Amino acid sequence: MKKIITLKYLLILVTLFFSSCDKDFELINTNPNSLGQDVFKYNYLFTAAQLYTAGNSDGYSRGIWEGSLSYASTFMQQLSSTSGFWYGDKYVFNNDYLSAFWLTQFGTSVKSITDVISNINGKEDQGNFLQIARILKVFIFQRITDQYGDIPYFQAGKGFSETLTDPVYDSQAVIYDDMLAELEDAVGKLDPDAPNTLGDADLFYKGDVTQWTKFAYSEMLRLAMRMSKVDPEKAKTWAGKAASGGVMETNDDNAIIYHETNDALTENPVGAEVITREPASYRLSKTLIDFLKNKNDPRLPALATVVEDPEELDDPGNTDPLVQLGQANGYDFRGGATDLSNSPGWTGNQNDFSIINRTTFARVDAPSFLLTAGNTQLLMAEAAQRGWISGSAADYYAVGVVQSILQLNQAGAGIAESDAEVYLAANPWLAADGIRQINEQYWVATFGDWLETWSNWRRSGYPELVPVNYEGNITNGSIPRRFTYPIDEARVNPKNYSAAVNSINGGDKITSRVWWDSE
Amino acid sequence: MYLTAICKEGAIVPERLPFFSKQTVLIMNFVALFLLGACLQVTATGLGQMSLRSMNKPLGQVFNEIRKQTGYNFIYTADVLEKSKKVSVVLKNASITEVLAACFRDQPLTYSIIDKVVIVKAKEAGEQKRDLPALIIIRGKVTNDRNEPVSGVSVVIRGTSRGTVTDSAGDFSVGADRGNILVFSFVGYQSKEYIVGDASEVGIVLEESKRELNEVVVTALGIARQKRSLGYSTTEVGGDKFTQARETNLGNALTGQVAGVSVAGVATGPYGSSRVTIRGNSSLKGENQPLYVIDGVPLNNTNRGFAGPYGGSDFGDGLSTINPDDIQSIQVLKGAAAAALYGFRGGNGAILITTKSGSSSRGVTVELNNNFTANSVVDLRKDVQYEYGQGYNGEKPTSQYGASSSSFASWGAKMDGSQVINFDGEMYPYQGYQDNFKNFFQTGIANQSSIAVLGNSEKGNYRIGLSNMYQTPVTPNSNLKQQGVNFNSNFNVNKKLKVGLTANYVFEKVKNRASVSDAPGNIIAPAIYLASSFDIRWLKAAVDDNGNELVPNVDDPYTNNPYFVANYFQNASNRNRLTTGLTVRYELLDWLSVQGQLTRDGFSIDKKEVIPTGTGFLYGENGVLSQSTGNFREINGNINIEANKKFNKFSVRAIVGGNSLDNQYTESGVYGIRHFQVPYFYSPLNITNRPYQTSFSRFKVNSIYGSADLGFRDFLFLNLTARNDWFSTLNPASNNYLYPSASLSFVFSDLVTMPSWISFGKLRAAYAGSSNGTSPYLNKLSYTLEGFTIGDQPVGHIVQSSIPNQGLRPVKISEQELGLSMQFLNNRIGLDLAVYNKKTVDDILNVGVSTTTGYQANVVNIGKLRNKGIEALISATPVRTGRFTWNTSFNIAVNDNKVLALAPPDNNPVPVLDNDDNTARWGSGVSIQHVIGLPYAQIVGYAYKRNAAGQKVFDADGFPVSSDIVPVPLGSGIYKTTGGFYNEFSYKGINLSFLIDFKYGAKIYSGTNLLLYSNGQHINTLEGREAGFIGKGVTEDDKENTIAVRPQDYFYQITTGDYNIGEEFVYDASFIKFRSLSLGYSLPASILKKGFVKGLVFSLVGRNLWIIKKYTPNIDPESSYNNTNAQGLELSGYPSVRNLGFNVNVKF
């Protein structure tokens, strides 16, 4: 009997021993250096989503450097390069570069903004925050789908929240419909009387609902105008909604990320690349310089400079418009027919050709312009000229040109408003040539945001660029119209990837076209 | 009748034992005798003959004299001496029998000898009357312990050739003198002696020699169990195997010792880590090394930093902090069944290290040991050429610039001794410099001194070991200083309560661990790759006039000046480690005890790495610093309740208990910070913006376990165990898992009568379920903030790049094993065989997912693999005479591993590691991947395209064509067959032992050979230097290839150029090595017996003496640059080092 009692006490002892140290058992698997979903402030993740949309100069910059700089800027003949790794200059295929924008945007901006939305949805007092996040999400997705066409949209970014590990690709037409509906719904739910819980975490507007309303309608207009070729009726409908909702009118409305130098992740990906990493590997394109020079554009000194040696980073160079020279696209240093010495305007010294101005855009902390009044007003001008909205195309054009020029002052240029007016007077809108004029202005006005430059060029066809035809190029001498999917998708999402590839007319190639870029 | 035992240092039997029954007293007597025998045997070794000169001395004095000379002790009742007569006898060189016979002549006493104890009794009344007949006939019967007659037993009168053998009934008769000793011996039985007294009828019971009968081994959780009862395979390795030709890292010392234990050679220098696997690798991505337990304390063995494809240093693991002099023995629990009581931690087996205790000491003993070795580099670059000198395109350098951009190229002209410019503008003779290794590396020394104080009394025992290790390796300006304290004590508070405390405290400081693999900071690479006509000593100045690195090759500043690396680069670590355990055991009842144990393993490690100001590849920046402090601790608390009962033929032992594990690691510091304000001042305070980083990891596992040992008649044993683990790392809804095991041991030689040449036979069978655990924080989403702001706003991010998995489960490992253990020819030959089949399912893989999910990978239970194999150990004592003994053992194990399933949907190969550390630095697409249907860790890369006849195919330019557009598997980096051959010869006090070990069936991708080809140093690049190299094979239209290519272009292309063919640099990594040798001399006891010193052994030791066979040119096949799962990659590793020295062991 005694033995049994002893055993009983022992078992009680064992039980006590283990239960006493187990009160925190379930809490242990929370890293004290991280925050759980219940306590995290999603404002911080919204800030991240905005910042990463603009890119940065860390590993994530690959999206902007490889997609926008190396490819789009040279497709669009604003920059030019003799270096092999600026693949866009000669339409050379490189899947790593072409997929970089996809990989970095889905991995940062999409990941962040979808997580913000899934966590604040339905939370008290976060109404405006949620609507603003939905608007930003549309903007983020537009930039991706415009480059790649059909992409995972409805199921994207939900690897954790909905355990969707093999997202289905949605057709761009459907994505556009949903993006427009989302904008309309979200902007309609913005409530100026509701508390501003986002505040300073919003790098664009500090949570100002009025500003976000303008941003949403401007984005709606951009989406609408993108459909001008493929579905003019729908374009008209949505352009009308945007115009009546109220779009951006002055540069105070611009959505800008002001980059900083305190960390690679806060740096301007374009600025960092062209000043600290590859200062000598590119030049401004002859096409751009000639265009600006011919029209005595006051933007020329703000965009271009000539330095004796681009590797001398401290030298601001000579910004006198007269000395600016553009380097032709499609040349190399290999001694053949396409050797730079055979290029038009060759001077004998590559350093005679302009690089990006080091006080405006070729700065590590240069601002990123994401959506601006200048661009928006130019699109309004085209919508008006097409008769899709009321108002005078000439007036919209005038505002668009002037605001586009003065926008550079937000990047550190010092252009007088009078100079902009002089330029406008010298280059007035002419109805007969309006569409071309508007889109050529759009081409210049989007300098630095070359994915947008390229998208609008694909839609409008302006300016009429003469493609380079470099030996061995894979586009048969035509400017590419699309980025290809990351080949890794074939490994990790094979079923949906092949369905998407099969539905592309012409296949997963850089010469194939996205839905709105109909021939 | 009360006995008084008199023995100088023996057990004490109380005079009055009223509490105990008569039977108890007898048992205690037996115990006392057993102990006496055990302690006296030692001192009596080597004695036997004695001389006695006694004139009328009392018998007691004579006994003392006999004891002094022979070590024989006497037990007698108190009244014996009173009855005795004085002794007068003179004998020279007489045997103990003769002496005793003489002393007892005419005494009213009789005596018998058991072992070395003489039991003296008064003669019975009848006996006294008898006189001694000259010859008596003794008849008797010999039986075994089952009372069966034993025939054929030899019965010999010791010292004579007279004797007989037992007949079929076991009967014998023999004539002998009183006092003669009859020796009964028969194969398979323990010999027995009988001293002829007055009896003429005797019954002799021979005990079967079962070496395993009472041999007790330590098993999981420190439970001591009879070896014969174990239903699974374990191997014990004595501590002496580690003390002679020693390794700094204990894991490396296990190589070749135990069948089924594979130690991967890691070429990271003497302070590096080891990679020990038992029965193969059972997790695709997780831990594959066994659990190490030192005196019951789980020992963390995580590697604290390793080299990847782009270089790095091995910061060692836990095993380098164990001093071999403190090790009593190491028990290797090979399979999951053996380690089943460790639950989730037992999936890879367990290695139990028992440190020495004071229990064997008599009184206070002091032991000193000193081990010194001189370590010299073995230049294995036998296949490099010294015909063509530095330069490119078959030309000598003609300018300083030309020279300084070709320092690592031997594509120059034929060396002719002419004056040629070198990298610093000096002229020198254009000739071969073959001694760059010898000129750069130094002779290293390693010295380890240990002192141990041992004490023992009935209250308990203790051992305190202190050690000091100092090493300077072959690389200059580097050293290791390690001091350790090992404490092991047991205290008997009273008869029922026992307390044990063990502690191992080690301070370790290391300066300048070598960086291996890729070149930056690699001190070895330049010595390997400098051009054949480049004398490494030209670099000795290390810096130029401005204090900047004298870069050997301006075009490749990443290969540093080795003298600059030695004197300016910094790599320091400082580790303090305390591993300690407190055990309290209370015997509640004679069959029931409870034990509580609290253990803690903890260490802190400070690391500092500096790329200094002036380093060529920093281009003027003032250096780069990483400096961190890590703190680890694991606390285990457990309680065991143990019950032991015997019922007739059955025995039962049941243990129930619980364990609570709490594991935590934190690390903080700065990593790779740059932009120092003041040059040469490498402190985080010298940087204005100091990005401090910190990491934290903690998990707990609570467990309840039980074990039941059932024994039937000591020949059939069943052991059942179960352990349930609760993991903090898993979803609380499904966080507990049960790990069962069953093992059966059947000693068939006890049931069935075996042929006489079989001494022992046992069959084993076992099954167990186990695991590998999971890492913390894999199942919840969490957030953190970036170390910067934008617009003064904090920026957040999701911590996880892999999708957290709420339903994650621990990997499941199950293993079946069968074993056979046999002893032959009176235990002279032993055989142990084991076969096993180990299956892993639900292995956790990071399956790549589409980035469009927002994540890189999904953590899922998906992998499957299996290991099956066979292990054999043959041990034998071919020779055993009085003076000469030869012991030998041979072990071999073959493990067959196969990856069965990987991630869907397409089951593509998966990288062995999740970061890029599985890729090779050189060669396109070369990496270590798991491939379905193939063994673990395949080297994948491009193979040669071959025609149907197997000939290589060359393209129109004369370059080889690769076989496929995607890399293909080229072989596993994990050895399939491992084993060792150990021999030990003893002759008088001389002991010679050596170990040969071998491994077969692995491949290695040699980055070193690739670079030697690329640099034009490899001997195979000589072909076609003048006329062009023509690849042997066919053109794409199957004609003989006749295109000659300049070797410089050809080998550039297949090494690092577009035509890279990984296959060319994949070698068979098999080898046979003469691993270690020890030649020792023990000073004979006869010399020592009067002195203060009780024992002295001097040994000459050598380790890594000779690679008997290898298939890898220029490198040691054991040259992985880290101990991760990505085995099979080699590049510029630590050179092969041969250790020679001596060991002195002194006991006081």
Side-chain angles (χ1 to χ4, degrees), chain B residues 295 326 328 354-359 453 455 461-465 486-490 500-504:
Chain B
D295 293 328
D326 293 330
Q328 176 69 42
T354 306
T355 64
K356 287 175 182 162
S357 74
S359 64
V453 181
N461 60 66
Y462 62 87
R463 179 181 183 279
I464 303 167
N486 185 267
F487 181 68
N488 183 326
S489 71
N490 295 288
L501 177 67
T502 60
N504 191 47

PDB file of all heavy atoms in Angstrom, chain B residues 295 326 328 354-359 453 455 461-465 486-490 500-504:
ATOM      1  N   ASP B 295      27.815  12.921 -20.688  1.00  0.00           N
ATOM      2  CA  ASP B 295      27.382  12.642 -19.313  1.00  0.00           C
ATOM      3  C   ASP B 295      25.913  13.004 -19.102  1.00  0.00           C
ATOM      4  O   ASP B 295      25.544  13.610 -18.095  1.00  0.00           O
ATOM      5  CB  ASP B 295      28.250  13.414 -18.304  1.00  0.00           C
ATOM      6  CG  ASP B 295      29.681  12.909 -18.281  1.00  0.00           C
ATOM      7  OD1 ASP B 295      29.885  11.702 -18.504  1.00  0.00           O
ATOM      8  OD2 ASP B 295      30.588  13.722 -18.071  1.00  0.00           O
ATOM      9  N   ASP B 326      39.672  13.378 -21.111  1.00  0.00           N
ATOM     10  CA  ASP B 326      38.588  13.265 -20.137  1.00  0.00           C
ATOM     11  C   ASP B 326      37.614  12.153 -20.485  1.00  0.00           C
ATOM     12  O   ASP B 326      36.684  11.876 -19.738  1.00  0.00           O
ATOM     13  CB  ASP B 326      37.808  14.590 -20.063  1.00  0.00           C
ATOM     14  CG  ASP B 326      38.640  15.710 -19.479  1.00  0.00           C
ATOM     15  OD1 ASP B 326      39.519  15.420 -18.659  1.00  0.00           O
ATOM     16  OD2 ASP B 326      38.423  16.875 -19.862  1.00  0.00           O
ATOM     17  N   GLN B 328      36.051   8.663 -20.935  1.00  0.00           N
ATOM     18  CA  GLN B 328      36.118   7.274 -20.516  1.00  0.00           C
ATOM     19  C   GLN B 328      35.773   6.389 -21.704  1.00  0.00           C
ATOM     20  O   GLN B 328      36.518   5.484 -22.056  1.00  0.00           O
ATOM     21  CB  GLN B 328      35.109   7.052 -19.381  1.00  0.00           C
ATOM     22  CG  GLN B 328      34.988   5.630 -18.895  1.00  0.00           C
ATOM     23  CD  GLN B 328      36.250   5.189 -18.175  1.00  0.00           C
ATOM     24  OE1 GLN B 328      36.816   5.948 -17.400  1.00  0.00           O
ATOM     25  NE2 GLN B 328      36.717   3.994 -18.463  1.00  0.00           N
ATOM     26  N   THR B 354      30.916   9.461 -22.269  1.00  0.00           N
ATOM     27  CA  THR B 354      31.009   9.350 -20.820  1.00  0.00           C
ATOM     28  C   THR B 354      32.387   9.828 -20.411  1.00  0.00           C
ATOM     29  O   THR B 354      33.392   9.322 -20.905  1.00  0.00           O
ATOM     30  CB  THR B 354      30.819   7.886 -20.384  1.00  0.00           C
ATOM     31  OG1 THR B 354      29.584   7.429 -20.948  1.00  0.00           O
ATOM     32  CG2 THR B 354      30.753   7.772 -18.882  1.00  0.00           C
ATOM     33  N   THR B 355      32.443  10.790 -19.531  1.00  0.00           N
ATOM     34  CA  THR B 355      33.760  11.254 -19.106  1.00  0.00           C
ATOM     35  C   THR B 355      34.233  10.394 -17.932  1.00  0.00           C
ATOM     36  O   THR B 355      33.461   9.714 -17.276  1.00  0.00           O
ATOM     37  CB  THR B 355      33.756  12.740 -18.701  1.00  0.00           C
ATOM     38  OG1 THR B 355      32.926  12.907 -17.559  1.00  0.00           O
ATOM     39  CG2 THR B 355      33.247  13.614 -19.824  1.00  0.00           C
ATOM     40  N   LYS B 356      35.508  10.475 -17.710  1.00  0.00           N
ATOM     41  CA  LYS B 356      36.105   9.652 -16.672  1.00  0.00           C
ATOM     42  C   LYS B 356      35.613  10.104 -15.301  1.00  0.00           C
ATOM     43  O   LYS B 356      35.426  11.298 -15.070  1.00  0.00           O
ATOM     44  CB  LYS B 356      37.631   9.775 -16.723  1.00  0.00           C
ATOM     45  CG  LYS B 356      38.222   9.051 -17.902  1.00  0.00           C
ATOM     46  CD  LYS B 356      39.716   9.288 -17.983  1.00  0.00           C
ATOM     47  CE  LYS B 356      40.300   8.605 -19.208  1.00  0.00           C
ATOM     48  NZ  LYS B 356      41.617   9.133 -19.558  1.00  0.00           N
ATOM     49  N   SER B 357      35.438   9.135 -14.418  1.00  0.00           N
ATOM     50  CA  SER B 357      35.053   9.483 -13.062  1.00  0.00           C
ATOM     51  C   SER B 357      36.151   8.995 -12.129  1.00  0.00           C
ATOM     52  O   SER B 357      37.104   8.345 -12.541  1.00  0.00           O
ATOM     53  CB  SER B 357      33.728   8.828 -12.701  1.00  0.00           C
ATOM     54  OG  SER B 357      33.936   7.453 -12.476  1.00  0.00           O
ATOM     55  N   GLY B 358      35.992   9.308 -10.863  1.00  0.00           N
ATOM     56  CA  GLY B 358      36.994   8.870  -9.891  1.00  0.00           C
ATOM     57  C   GLY B 358      36.734   7.486  -9.354  1.00  0.00           C
ATOM     58  O   GLY B 358      37.455   7.008  -8.487  1.00  0.00           O
ATOM     59  N   SER B 359      35.722   6.818  -9.872  1.00  0.00           N
ATOM     60  CA  SER B 359      35.304   5.574  -9.237  1.00  0.00           C
ATOM     61  C   SER B 359      36.360   4.477  -9.312  1.00  0.00           C
ATOM     62  O   SER B 359      36.382   3.570  -8.504  1.00  0.00           O
ATOM     63  CB  SER B 359      34.004   5.099  -9.865  1.00  0.00           C
ATOM     64  OG  SER B 359      34.221   4.799 -11.215  1.00  0.00           O
ATOM     65  N   VAL B 453      42.942  14.889 -11.223  1.00  0.00           N
ATOM     66  CA  VAL B 453      43.023  14.402  -9.847  1.00  0.00           C
ATOM     67  C   VAL B 453      41.767  13.575  -9.607  1.00  0.00           C
ATOM     68  O   VAL B 453      40.661  14.033  -9.863  1.00  0.00           O
ATOM     69  CB  VAL B 453      43.093  15.576  -8.854  1.00  0.00           C
ATOM     70  CG1 VAL B 453      43.193  15.043  -7.435  1.00  0.00           C
ATOM     71  CG2 VAL B 453      44.262  16.469  -9.183  1.00  0.00           C
ATOM     72  N   GLY B 455      39.692  10.887  -6.954  1.00  0.00           N
ATOM     73  CA  GLY B 455      39.591  10.395  -5.593  1.00  0.00           C
ATOM     74  C   GLY B 455      38.365   9.525  -5.447  1.00  0.00           C
ATOM     75  O   GLY B 455      37.394   9.669  -6.185  1.00  0.00           O
ATOM     76  N   ASN B 461      32.979   9.665  -5.192  1.00  0.00           N
ATOM     77  CA  ASN B 461      34.222   9.819  -5.925  1.00  0.00           C
ATOM     78  C   ASN B 461      34.188  11.098  -6.730  1.00  0.00           C
ATOM     79  O   ASN B 461      33.130  11.699  -6.931  1.00  0.00           O
ATOM     80  CB  ASN B 461      34.453   8.605  -6.831  1.00  0.00           C
ATOM     81  CG  ASN B 461      33.332   8.449  -7.831  1.00  0.00           C
ATOM     82  OD1 ASN B 461      33.154   9.290  -8.698  1.00  0.00           O
ATOM     83  ND2 ASN B 461      32.540   7.387  -7.700  1.00  0.00           N
ATOM     84  N   TYR B 462      35.339  11.501  -7.161  1.00  0.00           N
ATOM     85  CA  TYR B 462      35.403  12.720  -7.957  1.00  0.00           C
ATOM     86  C   TYR B 462      36.581  12.633  -8.912  1.00  0.00           C
ATOM     87  O   TYR B 462      37.513  11.850  -8.708  1.00  0.00           O
ATOM     88  CB  TYR B 462      35.575  13.951  -7.061  1.00  0.00           C
ATOM     89  CG  TYR B 462      36.862  13.930  -6.272  1.00  0.00           C
ATOM     90  CD1 TYR B 462      38.041  14.440  -6.821  1.00  0.00           C
ATOM     91  CD2 TYR B 462      36.920  13.357  -5.008  1.00  0.00           C
ATOM     92  CE1 TYR B 462      39.239  14.376  -6.128  1.00  0.00           C
ATOM     93  CE2 TYR B 462      38.111  13.294  -4.300  1.00  0.00           C
ATOM     94  CZ  TYR B 462      39.264  13.801  -4.867  1.00  0.00           C
ATOM     95  OH  TYR B 462      40.442  13.730  -4.192  1.00  0.00           O
ATOM     96  N   ARG B 463      36.495  13.404  -9.951  1.00  0.00           N
ATOM     97  CA  ARG B 463      37.633  13.572 -10.846  1.00  0.00           C
ATOM     98  C   ARG B 463      37.604  14.996 -11.359  1.00  0.00           C
ATOM     99  O   ARG B 463      36.573  15.476 -11.827  1.00  0.00           O
ATOM    100  CB  ARG B 463      37.566  12.614 -12.035  1.00  0.00           C
ATOM    101  CG  ARG B 463      38.738  12.770 -13.012  1.00  0.00           C
ATOM    102  CD  ARG B 463      38.599  11.815 -14.196  1.00  0.00           C
ATOM    103  NE  ARG B 463      39.720  11.892 -15.103  1.00  0.00           N
ATOM    104  CZ  ARG B 463      39.870  12.815 -16.044  1.00  0.00           C
ATOM    105  NH1 ARG B 463      38.956  13.751 -16.205  1.00  0.00           N
ATOM    106  NH2 ARG B 463      40.929  12.802 -16.846  1.00  0.00           N
ATOM    107  N   ILE B 464      38.732  15.656 -11.227  1.00  0.00           N
ATOM    108  CA  ILE B 464      38.853  17.000 -11.780  1.00  0.00           C
ATOM    109  C   ILE B 464      39.947  16.957 -12.827  1.00  0.00           C
ATOM    110  O   ILE B 464      41.076  16.564 -12.540  1.00  0.00           O
ATOM    111  CB  ILE B 464      39.231  18.036 -10.701  1.00  0.00           C
ATOM    112  CG1 ILE B 464      38.197  18.017  -9.579  1.00  0.00           C
ATOM    113  CG2 ILE B 464      39.323  19.424 -11.303  1.00  0.00           C
ATOM    114  CD1 ILE B 464      38.649  18.765  -8.349  1.00  0.00           C
ATOM    115  N   GLY B 465      39.598  17.297 -14.023  1.00  0.00           N
ATOM    116  CA  GLY B 465      40.586  17.313 -15.098  1.00  0.00           C
ATOM    117  C   GLY B 465      40.795  18.745 -15.570  1.00  0.00           C
ATOM    118  O   GLY B 465      39.835  19.469 -15.802  1.00  0.00           O
ATOM    119  N   ASN B 486      37.239  19.840 -16.475  1.00  0.00           N
ATOM    120  CA  ASN B 486      36.205  18.821 -16.493  1.00  0.00           C
ATOM    121  C   ASN B 486      36.040  18.281 -15.091  1.00  0.00           C
ATOM    122  O   ASN B 486      37.001  17.912 -14.427  1.00  0.00           O
ATOM    123  CB  ASN B 486      36.603  17.698 -17.455  1.00  0.00           C
ATOM    124  CG  ASN B 486      35.490  16.681 -17.578  1.00  0.00           C
ATOM    125  OD1 ASN B 486      35.463  15.698 -16.863  1.00  0.00           O
ATOM    126  ND2 ASN B 486      34.562  16.945 -18.467  1.00  0.00           N
ATOM    127  N   PHE B 487      34.821  18.263 -14.626  1.00  0.00           N
ATOM    128  CA  PHE B 487      34.552  17.840 -13.254  1.00  0.00           C
ATOM    129  C   PHE B 487      33.487  16.767 -13.286  1.00  0.00           C
ATOM    130  O   PHE B 487      32.454  16.911 -13.937  1.00  0.00           O
ATOM    131  CB  PHE B 487      34.079  19.052 -12.453  1.00  0.00           C
ATOM    132  CG  PHE B 487      33.796  18.747 -11.009  1.00  0.00           C
ATOM    133  CD1 PHE B 487      34.825  18.415 -10.146  1.00  0.00           C
ATOM    134  CD2 PHE B 487      32.497  18.790 -10.523  1.00  0.00           C
ATOM    135  CE1 PHE B 487      34.563  18.133  -8.814  1.00  0.00           C
ATOM    136  CE2 PHE B 487      32.232  18.505  -9.201  1.00  0.00           C
ATOM    137  CZ  PHE B 487      33.261  18.176  -8.343  1.00  0.00           C
ATOM    138  N   ASN B 488      33.763  15.683 -12.592  1.00  0.00           N
ATOM    139  CA  ASN B 488      32.817  14.587 -12.564  1.00  0.00           C
ATOM    140  C   ASN B 488      32.808  14.052 -11.137  1.00  0.00           C
ATOM    141  O   ASN B 488      33.831  13.626 -10.612  1.00  0.00           O
ATOM    142  CB  ASN B 488      33.290  13.507 -13.550  1.00  0.00           C
ATOM    143  CG  ASN B 488      32.317  12.361 -13.647  1.00  0.00           C
ATOM    144  OD1 ASN B 488      31.665  11.989 -12.678  1.00  0.00           O
ATOM    145  ND2 ASN B 488      32.224  11.795 -14.837  1.00  0.00           N
ATOM    146  N   SER B 489      31.679  14.137 -10.497  1.00  0.00           N
ATOM    147  CA  SER B 489      31.659  13.693  -9.109  1.00  0.00           C
ATOM    148  C   SER B 489      30.383  12.944  -8.785  1.00  0.00           C
ATOM    149  O   SER B 489      29.336  13.177  -9.387  1.00  0.00           O
ATOM    150  CB  SER B 489      31.776  14.893  -8.173  1.00  0.00           C
ATOM    151  OG  SER B 489      30.579  15.639  -8.217  1.00  0.00           O
ATOM    152  N   ASN B 490      30.492  12.023  -7.861  1.00  0.00           N
ATOM    153  CA  ASN B 490      29.339  11.290  -7.372  1.00  0.00           C
ATOM    154  C   ASN B 490      29.428  11.276  -5.863  1.00  0.00           C
ATOM    155  O   ASN B 490      30.481  11.025  -5.287  1.00  0.00           O
ATOM    156  CB  ASN B 490      29.354   9.857  -7.899  1.00  0.00           C
ATOM    157  CG  ASN B 490      29.185   9.842  -9.401  1.00  0.00           C
ATOM    158  OD1 ASN B 490      28.110  10.106  -9.902  1.00  0.00           O
ATOM    159  ND2 ASN B 490      30.269   9.579 -10.118  1.00  0.00           N
ATOM    160  N   GLY B 500      25.012  13.289  -8.247  1.00  0.00           N
ATOM    161  CA  GLY B 500      26.114  13.350  -9.205  1.00  0.00           C
ATOM    162  C   GLY B 500      26.169  14.727  -9.846  1.00  0.00           C
ATOM    163  O   GLY B 500      25.135  15.321 -10.146  1.00  0.00           O
ATOM    164  N   LEU B 501      27.372  15.222 -10.024  1.00  0.00           N
ATOM    165  CA  LEU B 501      27.521  16.525 -10.680  1.00  0.00           C
ATOM    166  C   LEU B 501      28.626  16.417 -11.710  1.00  0.00           C
ATOM    167  O   LEU B 501      29.725  15.958 -11.409  1.00  0.00           O
ATOM    168  CB  LEU B 501      27.866  17.593  -9.636  1.00  0.00           C
ATOM    169  CG  LEU B 501      28.118  19.002 -10.176  1.00  0.00           C
ATOM    170  CD1 LEU B 501      26.837  19.589 -10.752  1.00  0.00           C
ATOM    171  CD2 LEU B 501      28.653  19.908  -9.078  1.00  0.00           C
ATOM    172  N   THR B 502      28.326  16.814 -12.928  1.00  0.00           N
ATOM    173  CA  THR B 502      29.364  16.847 -13.944  1.00  0.00           C
ATOM    174  C   THR B 502      29.403  18.244 -14.543  1.00  0.00           C
ATOM    175  O   THR B 502      28.382  18.920 -14.631  1.00  0.00           O
ATOM    176  CB  THR B 502      29.092  15.863 -15.098  1.00  0.00           C
ATOM    177  OG1 THR B 502      27.844  16.209 -15.707  1.00  0.00           O
ATOM    178  CG2 THR B 502      29.039  14.433 -14.607  1.00  0.00           C
ATOM    179  N   ALA B 503      30.572  18.664 -14.911  1.00  0.00           N
ATOM    180  CA  ALA B 503      30.688  19.976 -15.539  1.00  0.00           C
ATOM    181  C   ALA B 503      31.903  19.984 -16.444  1.00  0.00           C
ATOM    182  O   ALA B 503      32.944  19.416 -16.120  1.00  0.00           O
ATOM    183  CB  ALA B 503      30.836  21.062 -14.482  1.00  0.00           C
ATOM    184  N   ASN B 504      31.735  20.579 -17.592  1.00  0.00           N
ATOM    185  CA  ASN B 504      32.841  20.729 -18.525  1.00  0.00           C
ATOM    186  C   ASN B 504      32.876  22.197 -18.933  1.00  0.00           C
ATOM    187  O   ASN B 504      31.921  22.710 -19.517  1.00  0.00           O
ATOM    188  CB  ASN B 504      32.606  19.828 -19.746  1.00  0.00           C
ATOM    189  CG  ASN B 504      33.837  19.728 -20.616  1.00  0.00           C
ATOM    190  OD1 ASN B 504      34.932  19.508 -20.111  1.00  0.00           O
ATOM    191  ND2 ASN B 504      33.668  19.902 -21.914  1.00  0.00           N
TER     192      ASN B 504
END
